[in-house]
Amino acid sequence: MQPVSVWQWSLWGLLLCLLCSSCLGSPSPSTAPEKRARSQGLRFRLAGFPRKPFEGRVEIQQAGEWGTICDDDFTLEAAHVLCRELGFTEATGWTHSAKYGPGTGRIWLDNLSCRGTERSVTECASRGWGNSDCTHDEDAGVICKDERLPGFPDSNVIEVEHHLQVEEVRLRPAVGRGRRPLPVTEGLVEVRLPDGWSKVCDKGWSAHNSHVVCGMLGFPSEKRVNTAFYRMILTLLLSYPHRKLRKRAAKASARRPKPLGRPITKRKVKSKPRVGRGPIKRLLAQRQQHFFGLHGVTCVGTETHLSRCSLEFYRVNDTTRCPGGAPAVVSCVPGPVYATSNGQKKQQQSKPQGEARVRLKGGAHPGEGRVEVLKAGTWGTVCDRKWDLQAASVVCRELGFGSAREALSGARMGQGMGAIHLSEVRCSGQEPSLWKCPHKNITAEDCSHGQDAGVRCNMPYTGVETRIRLSGGRSRHEGRVEVQIGGPGPLRWGLICGDDWGTLEAMVVCRQLGLGYANHGLQETWYWDSGNTTEVVMSGVRCTGTELSLDQCAHHGTHIACKRTDTRFTAGVICSETASDLLLHSALVQETAYIEDRPLHMLYCAAEENCLARSARSANWPYGHRRLLRFSSQIHNLGRADFRPKAGRHSWVWHECHGHYHSMDIFTHYDILTPNGTKVAEGHKASFCLEDTECQEDVSKRYECANFGEQGITVGCWDLYRHDIDCQWIDITDVKPGNYILQVVINPNFEVAESDFTNNAMKCNCKYDGHRIWVHNCHIGDAFSEEANKRFERYPGQTSNQVI
C-alpha cells in the first residue's frame, strides 16, 4: 500500500466537504427565501377530487388539525403565496365555492389578503386564525404552475399523492325492489379515492367503525346488520352460472332472515318466487366489480371522520385484496326528524323522551346553530373555551343528527343573551349528553357572549332539494318557486299560487334549497321571466316555518283554488344566508311596569294612532281618564343581519301628531290574557322610529331617525321604547281585578324574516287588585321547560281560572 500524500488528503477533504454540503441540502442563495417561507408549525397540502397533482383545495394543518381557507376576498396574489408554500414556483389561477369539493374540520383563514410577495401566508392579513363566518361550500382552491421550487422537500407538499385520504363515504344499497326512499340507512360502505368509489374489506370491522360511518352520514347511531345474508347473496352470484342465477337468488331472497333483534314471523311464500331483474343485475355487477380500496379499519368510536381512524389503503400492485372477506355493510338508525318508516317512528316514540336540555339556535340550515343548554329552568349558552369536535359531536348526536362537521367558536352563529351556563367542556365523545361531560361552571367575568360556542352537524342526504327550484331571478338566491309533482304520466314542474304566501312559507323553500333564510316571500313575480313553466300546481300553502320541505306544509292537494291564476301572481322568494333575530329584555319589563291614570285630553295623538281600547271611542272627551299599564321595552338584535323594515322608505307613513315615520304598522302586540288564554285587553304599537338606541362596546350605531334617517336595528344593538312615551302601554280601563298573563310579541305578523321566531314572545305573571298591579316571573315564551310553564299558569292561592 502506497502512502497518501498531503496533496491527495487535501483533495479528498475538499471532495468530502462538497458531498456533505450536497447531502445536507445546503440551499443556494436563490432558494433560501423559499425555504424560509415555510410557515413554522404549519403544513400544507392539496386535496379534493377530481384534480391534477398541482391543483386542488388548499388545506392547512395547525396544532395537528387540518382545515381549509374561505374564498372571501381571495385573490391570485394569495394563490401565489400558497403555491410557494406548497413547493411550486407560482400560481396560474384559483377557484372558489369548493370546486374541488367541500373540506372538513376548521376553516382556518377568512378574508385572506396578500400582496403576493409574502414569504409566508402568516404574513398576509386576515380575520385571524380560526375566525371565519364561512361554510365549507366556500372553500378556496389553487391551480399552481407545474414547476417545482429547487430544493423543496416533496414529503410535505401534496400529501394526497403519497398518503391517501378518505374524502367521502357513502352507503350503496345492495338489495331491494324498486326505488328506495331517502335517506339511505343501510348498504355497502364505499369510500371515494382518486380512482373512484371503492369498497371496504370487512375483516376486523366493528360496531365502532359503523358508529363513525353513521355519524359521517348524519345518523346518531348504528344497529346490527345481518351480514350473513349479504354474504350468501354475493356468494350465489359468484358461484353459479348466469342461467341459474335468477332461480337461486330468488330462493335465497325469499328465505331472507329478519334483522337481528326482531322476532321472526311466518309468512307465506309464493310457489314461484321471483326477484326483479334490476336488483339481480345490480348485485352481479357489484360482485364482478368489487374493488377494495381500504382494509384494516379500526376506530375507537369517538372519531368524527373515518380518516381519523387507523386504516390501510391497498397498494396499486396488490393482486389479492380482502381474501376470504366481503364488503363491509353498515346499518344506521336515523334521528327523529328523518325517520321515514312507521316502524322507525314507533320505535323512537316508545323510548322514554326526557325533557330537552340542549338545543341549537341561529343556524341557517338544519343541524347547525348556537348551542344552548337548560339549567334551573333557564336557557343559557356555552363558552367556547376548549370547545372541540368531540363536544360538538355529543351535542349533534344528542339532538338526533350525526357527528359534528365543525365546532364553531367566537359566536359564529350569533350571540346569545342571558346566562352562560358551561365553560371548558371536555367530552370523550362517548357521552349520551353534553351534561355528562366534565365542565366548569363560570361567573359573568369568565366569559362573554362573544365566545358562544356553536356546531355544524353532519346531516343525512334526503334529496329534497331536487324537488324544488327557483327560476327567473337575478341570482340563484331568488326567483319564482317551481315544484316537481307526479301524476298521470312523467314528473312535471309547476308554479305555486301566490295567495297568502308569506315569510314562513318562503323560509321553508330557502331551507329546502339549502339557501339559508328568506328575506322576502313574494306574492307577485311578474318582473321575473316564467320561462316555459306556466301551470299552477299548488295552492293554499300554509307552513309553520320549521318544516324541512314544502311537502310537510299544509296545502290544497290536487284541487287548486287560486284567486289570481295569472302567472304574474305566483309565489317567489329571496333567500339570504343570514337573518336578524329580535329578543325582548324581559327583566326590564318586569322592573318598569306600573299603572297610570292619564287624562283623556292628553291622549288625542294616541287615539289617532289607535292605541286605546275600543271603549275610549264612546268616552266623554276631553273629560275623564284611561287606566294604562305602562312598561319599557328593550328589543335586542342577536342575529347575524340587521333588522330592516320590509317596506321601502317610499311607503313609510308620516304621523304629524307625533312627528315621526311608521316603517311598520304593527311592530309589537301587547295583550292581557286570562290563565286559560282568553284575551281581555289588547294593544299594539307601530315602529315609532326604529333605531339603534344603544350598542355593545365593539359595535357602532347605524340607524337613527333624526333628520329623517334610515330605520332599523343593527346586529349587537337594541332599540329602547321608554315607559313614558305614547302607546307604550296597554289600556286596562275595562279589566276587572284578577290574575292574568301579560304577553308581548315582537314582529307578530312575521313581516321581517328572523332566524328564530320562537323567542319573539314574552310572558309575565300579572296580578291586579283594581288599584295596583304586580308583574313578576317574566320570561321569553320558550325559555321555560314544559313543566315550568305548567307551574307558571298556577298562581298562588288560585283555585280556578275565574277572575276575582
Side-chain angles (χ1 to χ4, degrees):
M1 182 176 181
Q2 295 182 355
V4 180
S5 67
V6 175
W7 180 84
Q8 288 174 315
W9 274 113
S10 301
L11 184 61
W12 281 106
L14 179 61
L15 181 60
L16 182 61
C17 289
L18 291 173
L19 288 172
C20 289
S21 299
S22 176
C23 293
L24 291 175
S26 178
S28 63
S30 62
T31 60
E34 274 66 34
K35 297 293 279 187
R36 288 195 298 270
R38 295 277 300 280
S39 303
Q40 295 295 326
L42 301 179
R43 303 174 69 192
F44 298 82
R45 70 185 181 193
L46 294 174
F49 303 103
R51 66 178 185 82
K52 297 176 182 178
F54 49 86
E55 66 178 353
R57 180 178 64 249
V58 181
E59 295 191 350
I60 307 176
Q61 187 187 52
Q62 185 190 40
E65 184 177 354
W66 286 101
T68 61
I69 301 176
C70 180
D71 60 13
D72 289 353
D73 297 335
F74 200 89
T75 61
L76 186 61
E77 286 72 21
H80 283 314
V81 177
L82 288 166
C83 283
R84 287 198 296 270
E85 297 269 27
L86 290 158
F88 297 97
T89 56
E90 61 179 340
T92 60
W94 65 278
T95 64
H96 59 87
S97 303
K99 176 184 176 181
Y100 299 101
T104 59
R106 300 282 293 273
I107 299 179
W108 284 122
L109 293 173
D110 188 7
N111 298 114
L112 184 64
S113 177
C114 303
R115 297 185 304 274
T117 58
E118 292 86 352
R119 297 182 178 184
S120 168
V121 72
T122 57
E123 299 176 9
C124 299
S126 69
R127 297 182 60 165
W129 284 92
N131 186 12
S132 171
D133 60 358
C134 300
T135 68
H136 280 297
D137 291 333
E138 301 169 84
D139 284 342
V142 295
I143 304 169
C144 302
K145 186 176 182 180
D146 192 12
E147 182 178 331
R148 306 287 299 157
L149 288 172
F152 200 101
D154 293 340
S155 59
N156 193 35
V157 182
I158 308 176
E159 291 204 352
V160 178
E161 288 185 351
H162 307 287
H163 304 286
L164 294 174
Q165 266 191 309
V166 176
E167 293 275 335
E168 295 181 60
V169 176
R170 72 181 183 187
L171 295 181
R172 177 176 289 276
V175 294
R177 293 189 178 97
R179 187 177 181 181
R180 295 177 67 94
L182 294 175
V184 176
T185 58
E186 181 176 309
L188 307 180
V189 182
E190 293 187 340
V191 295
R192 188 173 183 179
L193 302 177
D195 295 332
W197 290 96
S198 63
K199 295 175 178 60
V200 181
C201 182
D202 69 348
K203 281 191 172 182
W205 190 267
S206 66
H208 293 313
N209 300 353
S210 299
H211 191 69
V212 174
V213 170
C214 289
M216 291 179 62
L217 297 173
F219 303 112
S221 60
E222 77 292 343
K223 65 180 179 180
R224 295 180 63 186
V225 62
N226 192 351
T227 56
F229 167 75
Y230 287 91
R231 282 178 173 265
M232 178 176 61
I233 292 295
L234 295 173
T235 301
L236 279 173
L237 292 171
L238 182 68
S239 303
Y240 291 92
H242 293 187
R243 55 191 172 84
K244 296 183 179 180
L245 184 61
R246 285 174 53 80
K247 185 176 181 180
R248 298 284 184 177
K251 290 182 179 180
S253 181
R255 295 193 302 268
R256 178 182 181 181
K258 292 288 183 180
L260 295 178
R262 296 182 182 178
I264 299 177
T265 56
K266 294 183 179 180
R267 62 175 182 176
K268 294 182 180 181
V269 180
K270 295 181 179 180
S271 59
K272 294 183 179 181
R274 301 187 64 184
V275 176
R277 294 185 178 182
I280 293 298
K281 287 184 177 180
R282 184 166 62 248
L283 281 172
L284 178 60
Q286 288 177 352
R287 185 59 180 176
Q288 291 175 340
Q289 298 174 9
H290 274 341
F291 176 74
F292 292 96
L294 201 62
H295 69 104
V297 181
T298 305
C299 301
V300 177
T302 59
E303 296 88 350
T304 57
H305 198 279
L306 197 64
S307 61
R308 297 175 180 265
C309 302
S310 173
L311 48 84
E312 296 181 45
F313 293 90
Y314 284 109
R315 295 187 179 91
V316 177
N317 57 357
D318 287 337
T319 56
T320 303
R321 301 193 179 194
C322 199
V329 181
V330 166
S331 183
C332 303
V333 178
V337 177
Y338 298 95
T340 54
S341 67
N342 293 330
Q344 289 173 336
K345 290 182 179 179
K346 288 181 179 179
Q347 185 179 4
Q348 290 174 347
Q349 290 173 357
S350 64
K351 296 180 180 179
Q353 297 292 334
E355 180 184 339
R357 300 188 65 191
V358 179
R359 69 184 184 185
L360 300 181
K361 289 290 184 179
H365 308 282
E368 70 174 29
R370 178 178 62 252
V371 179
E372 295 188 355
V373 293
L374 183 67
K375 181 180 180 181
T378 304
W379 287 99
T381 60
V382 177
C383 183
D384 63 6
R385 291 181 183 173
K386 298 185 179 180
W387 186 251
D388 57 14
L389 283 173
Q390 274 64 42
S393 292
V394 170
V395 170
C396 291
R397 292 185 188 271
E398 182 178 0
L399 294 172
F401 307 119
S403 53
R405 286 192 296 116
E406 291 182 80
L408 305 174
S409 58
R412 288 267 303 281
M413 290 296 172
Q415 297 187 20
M417 186 175 177
I420 302 175
H421 288 325
L422 302 178
S423 179
E424 297 186 19
V425 180
R426 303 299 290 172
C427 300
S428 67
Q430 298 175 338
E431 295 84 357
S433 172
L434 190 68
W435 284 102
K436 300 294 183 182
C437 301
H439 60 270
K440 177 183 176 184
N441 295 318
I442 64 174
T443 61
E445 292 77 20
D446 291 330
C447 202
S448 68
H449 282 296
Q451 298 169 269
D452 284 342
V455 298
R456 284 195 178 102
C457 306
N458 286 318
M459 309 295 294
Y461 176 71
T462 58
V464 294
E465 73 280 0
T466 63
R467 301 196 295 268
I468 192 170
R469 67 187 184 188
L470 302 182
S471 67
R474 297 162 296 180
S475 70
R476 70 185 188 95
H477 288 86
E478 67 177 26
R480 180 180 282 121
V481 182
E482 297 182 3
V483 293
Q484 191 179 54
I485 64 169
L491 297 175
R492 68 186 192 278
W493 290 94
L495 304 172
I496 300 177
C497 178
D499 294 347
D500 300 323
W501 182 265
T503 303
L504 297 181
E505 291 72 31
M507 293 282 277
V508 176
V509 169
C510 294
R511 182 182 300 113
Q512 183 174 352
L513 289 168
L515 298 177
Y517 305 106
N519 268 349
H520 299 288
L522 307 170
Q523 297 183 2
E524 297 184 17
T525 53
W526 51 267
Y527 37 81
W528 285 331
D529 181 19
S530 62
N532 297 326
T533 306
T534 57
E535 180 187 6
V536 176
V537 297
M538 185 179 291
S539 64
V541 180
R542 302 296 292 175
C543 303
T544 63
T546 60
E547 296 87 351
L548 297 180
S549 68
L550 277 183
D551 298 338
Q552 300 174 358
C553 298
H555 58 88
H556 288 157
T558 57
H559 175 67
I560 306 301
C562 192
K563 299 176 183 177
R564 300 175 297 180
T565 57
D566 195 287
T567 56
R568 297 179 300 168
F569 305 107
T570 52
V573 298
I574 300 176
C575 303
S576 173
E577 280 293 327
T578 58
S580 59
D581 185 18
L582 297 187
L583 186 69
L584 184 68
H585 186 14
S586 57
L588 184 63
V589 174
Q590 182 170 317
E591 294 168 3
T592 57
Y594 67 98
I595 287 179
E596 179 194 18
D597 290 333
R598 195 165 184 80
L600 279 173
H601 68 82
M602 300 178 66
L603 295 174
Y604 279 104
C605 283
E608 178 188 316
E609 298 194 11
N610 197 27
C611 295
L612 299 175
R614 294 180 181 178
S615 60
R617 300 173 185 173
S618 57
N620 187 23
W621 292 79
Y623 308 103
H625 67 273
R626 305 299 295 180
R627 176 157 291 184
L628 310 174
L629 170 58
R630 286 184 173 272
F631 49 87
S632 298
S633 62
Q634 190 179 96
I635 300 167
H636 294 246
N637 182 3
L638 303 181
R640 291 188 289 157
D642 295 350
F643 184 91
R644 297 300 311 278
K646 181 179 180 180
R649 183 168 180 164
H650 64 281
S651 61
W652 294 354
V653 179
W654 173 256
H655 285 259
E656 185 67 35
C657 194
H658 282 132
H660 58 226
Y661 280 105
H662 287 183
S663 55
M664 296 176 64
D665 289 336
I666 298 180
F667 180 54
T668 48
H669 273 171
Y670 304 140
D671 299 311
I672 296 292
L673 311 173
T674 63
N676 62 8
T678 303
K679 188 183 299 185
V680 295
E682 63 180 355
H684 75 275
K685 187 167 65 62
S687 55
F688 287 13
C689 180
L690 203 62
E691 65 179 359
D692 296 329
T693 306
E694 295 290 340
C695 298
Q696 299 170 1
E697 293 182 2
D698 56 341
V699 179
S700 300
K701 298 180 181 179
R702 297 185 58 188
Y703 303 106
E704 187 177 10
C705 295
N707 300 319
F708 307 108
E710 290 293 328
Q711 293 193 18
I713 306 178
T714 305
V715 176
C717 300
W718 56 88
D719 191 7
L720 175 63
Y721 289 91
R722 289 174 51 89
H723 58 85
D724 54 358
I725 68 171
D726 268 5
C727 295
Q728 188 58 42
W729 63 54
I730 303 177
D731 186 347
I732 60 170
T733 306
D734 305 320
V735 176
K736 298 178 181 179
N739 293 315
Y740 297 97
I741 296 173
L742 166 62
Q743 178 176 277
V744 179
V745 183
I746 311 168
N747 191 17
N749 296 335
F750 313 110
E751 288 187 36
V752 179
E754 298 184 46
S755 62
D756 185 9
F757 288 110
T758 63
N759 57 9
N760 282 28
M762 183 217 68
K763 296 180 181 179
C764 300
N765 284 132
C766 186
K767 184 176 180 64
Y768 176 50
D769 67 358
H771 304 283
R772 295 170 298 174
I773 196 163
W774 292 267
V775 176
H776 60 98
N777 198 18
C778 292
H779 64 277
I780 301 303
D782 71 338
F784 273 16
S785 63
E786 182 179 351
E787 183 59 32
N789 270 320
K790 291 179 181 177
R791 293 198 303 269
F792 168 79
E793 294 178 1
R794 301 191 187 103
Y795 299 87
Q798 181 174 327
T799 57
S800 69
N801 289 333
Q802 295 179 355
V803 296
I804 300 173

